[in-house]
Amino acid sequence: MTKTTVRLAVVGAGLIGRQHIRRVLSEPEAALAAIVDPTDQARELAGSHGTPWFADLHALLAADRPDGVIIATPNQLHVANGLACVEAGIPMLMEKPVSDDLASGWELVAATEQADVPMLVGHHRRHSPLISEAKAIVASGAIGRVTAVNGLCWFLKPKHYFDVAWRRQAGAGVVLINLIHVVDDLRNICGDLESVQALQSHAVRGFEVEDTAAILLRFRSGVLGTISISDTVAAPWSWELTSGEDKAFPRTDQSCYLIGGTEGAVSVPRLEVWRHSSEKAWWGPMQAERRIAPEQDPLVLQLRQFCRVVRREEPPLLDGREAMKTLEATLAVKESAATGKVINLA
């Protein structure tokens, strides 16, 4: 197999599936083997690219065997499609979350490990140069011992986003669709979580799914953190609007994460490292040093890594076992909001 012949099928041609399709089509290392989605729109999309179309993954696997599969279906279908890939022995890029419940998610992870079928989980910000640089700043000791973190994720989803029925149903709210990215970002930078406590609300839209949540975090390192997230707020403070990585969103000159330590603090994604220039106390002057990370599309970097995973050149940057830690913490947010209890993580 050469770098130009990794044949990838994309399962699910919704919002994120179409982004994957576009990048596969433009990536020299990959070729689009098929589009798998039961809708007429997906069949038309496949026809416009001269690509085979199948209504479901089983139909594809009965007719062809791609080198890899990108699974971008609704969350409820992730495990079934993942197990089909395991049975066929085909590596997969599984969009987050692995599942919408822990039991079936661990079932899939165990199946991939037992069959030695690689699964790269699509927390694409793991591939972000901005997140990587923030992690490197913290790891270098530039801000001393980290004591507190704050994550802010406020944005406004349009009304037509909810025209798709599954986005109004359990498992598709702002927690599992959006918060899970923030949790993974902060875990990636600050380490594993020990416990979470949360509140959530669906007061604005009244759908079955939540639209707003507030979370308290305790990391195993002793760091304490907060996250506030809502898809009902017209505001500039979300990763999509601050990072500039997805050109579909207008970029704002803001940050959405603040990480504070005993020697300084860093804003993310602006990567401004703030430290006292003389006396290390709150009345001492502070100066900021701006770090620079290369501007690259994390979805493209993730796709290229998946091609290397398919060719068995390297292991997944984020495998199923590690992704399940993020899912566990995110589902604990739901449990805490429902019960009012602090949820301790395994």
Side-chain angles (χ1 to χ4, degrees), residues 35 146 156 267 277 303 309:
I35 293 175
V146 177
L156 184 61
S267 64
S277 56
L303 174 62
V309 169

Side-chain angles (χ1 to χ4, degrees), residues 57-58 71 73-87 92 94-95 97-109 111-112 119 324 327:
L57 182 55
H58 292 287
I71 299 174
T73 58
N75 299 342
Q76 300 90 329
L77 303 176
H78 282 187
V79 171
N81 286 321
L83 290 173
C85 288
V86 170
E87 185 177 354
M92 71 195 87
M94 174 67 77
E95 263 303 325
V98 174
S99 175
D100 52 12
D101 69 89
L102 292 178
S104 66
W106 281 116
E107 177 188 359
L108 175 58
V109 171
T112 63
M119 178 170 68
M324 286 298 295
L327 177 60

Side-chain angles (χ1 to χ4, degrees), residues 6-345:
V6 178
R7 299 177 61 251
L8 302 177
V10 177
V11 184
L15 204 61
I16 186 63
R18 288 173 181 257
Q19 292 200 49
H20 285 300
I21 290 167
R22 179 164 59 86
R23 287 165 175 82
V24 171
L25 288 168
S26 61
E27 174 54 48
E29 292 190 36
L32 186 62
I35 293 175
V36 181
D37 186 299
T39 64
D40 291 337
Q41 295 91 332
R43 180 165 53 186
E44 292 169 3
L45 179 64
S48 70
H49 293 298
T51 300
W53 169 85
F54 298 90
D56 59 59
L57 182 55
H58 292 287
L60 164 66
L61 296 178
D64 190 16
R65 192 187 187 285
D67 299 319
V69 171
I70 299 174
I71 299 174
T73 58
N75 299 342
Q76 300 90 329
L77 303 176
H78 282 187
V79 171
N81 286 321
L83 290 173
C85 288
V86 170
E87 185 177 354
I90 298 175
M92 71 195 87
L93 195 172
M94 174 67 77
E95 263 303 325
K96 60 77 196 167
V98 174
S99 175
D100 52 12
D101 69 89
L102 292 178
S104 66
W106 281 116
E107 177 188 359
L108 175 58
V109 171
T112 63
E113 292 177 349
Q114 184 174 1
D116 190 28
V117 174
M119 178 170 68
L120 170 65
V121 180
H123 281 285
H124 63 276
R125 295 182 199 166
R126 289 274 177 154
H127 304 264
S128 166
L130 294 167
I131 293 291
S132 296
E133 182 63 22
K135 184 176 181 178
I137 290 169
V138 170
S140 73
I143 63 172
R145 177 179 176 177
V146 177
T147 58
V149 300
N150 174 263
L152 191 59
C153 188
W154 290 354
F155 55 95
L156 184 61
K157 286 181 179 175
K159 290 182 179 179
H160 64 75
Y161 176 88
F162 299 96
D163 290 344
V164 181
W166 69 267
R167 291 176 179 161
R168 305 190 298 271
Q169 298 167 358
V174 70
V175 170
L176 280 179
I177 297 294
N178 304 105
L179 176 68
I180 192 169
H181 279 303
V182 182
V183 170
D184 195 66
D185 289 344
L186 298 185
R187 276 194 63 246
N188 188 17
I189 296 171
C190 299
D192 284 338
L193 286 161
E194 180 177 302
S195 66
V196 303
Q197 187 173 9
L199 299 171
Q200 67 179 31
S201 170
H202 61 179
V204 173
R205 298 191 182 95
F207 295 148
E208 185 179 356
V209 297
E210 75 288 340
D211 53 46
T212 303
I215 303 100
L216 297 175
L217 308 169
R218 183 185 294 274
F219 291 82
R220 296 197 179 278
S221 62
V223 174
L224 299 181
T226 60
I227 300 174
S228 176
I229 185 168
S230 179
D231 64 11
T232 67
V233 179
W237 304 296
S238 67
W239 182 261
E240 289 78 9
L241 293 178
T242 59
S243 69
E245 290 179 335
D246 188 338
K247 303 308 178 185
F249 297 93
R251 188 174 191 174
T252 63
D253 190 26
Q254 300 288 318
S255 284
C256 58
Y257 305 151
L258 299 176
I259 304 168
T262 55
E263 300 292 328
V266 59
S267 64
V268 185
R270 282 185 59 80
L271 300 177
E272 289 178 326
V273 180
W274 288 88
R275 286 181 287 206
H276 288 286
S277 56
S278 53
E279 186 176 3
K280 295 179 180 180
W282 61 358
W283 49 74
M286 298 199 77
Q287 293 181 340
E289 174 193 355
R290 183 82 180 270
R291 303 290 180 90
I292 302 298
E295 186 172 340
Q296 292 178 284
D297 181 351
L299 283 171
V300 170
L301 297 178
Q302 178 182 253
L303 174 62
R304 291 173 182 167
Q305 211 256 333
F306 183 49
C307 289
R308 296 193 295 274
V309 169
V310 170
R311 293 193 295 264
R312 300 286 182 139
E313 295 174 355
E314 60 189 53
L317 180 63
L318 182 69
D319 62 17
R321 187 167 291 274
E322 185 67 17
M324 286 298 295
K325 295 181 183 179
T326 293
L327 177 60
E328 179 191 22
T330 307
L331 290 176
V333 169
K334 301 287 289 181
E335 182 181 353
S336 177
T339 65
K341 297 179 180 179
V342 175
I343 307 301
N344 293 311
L345 304 174

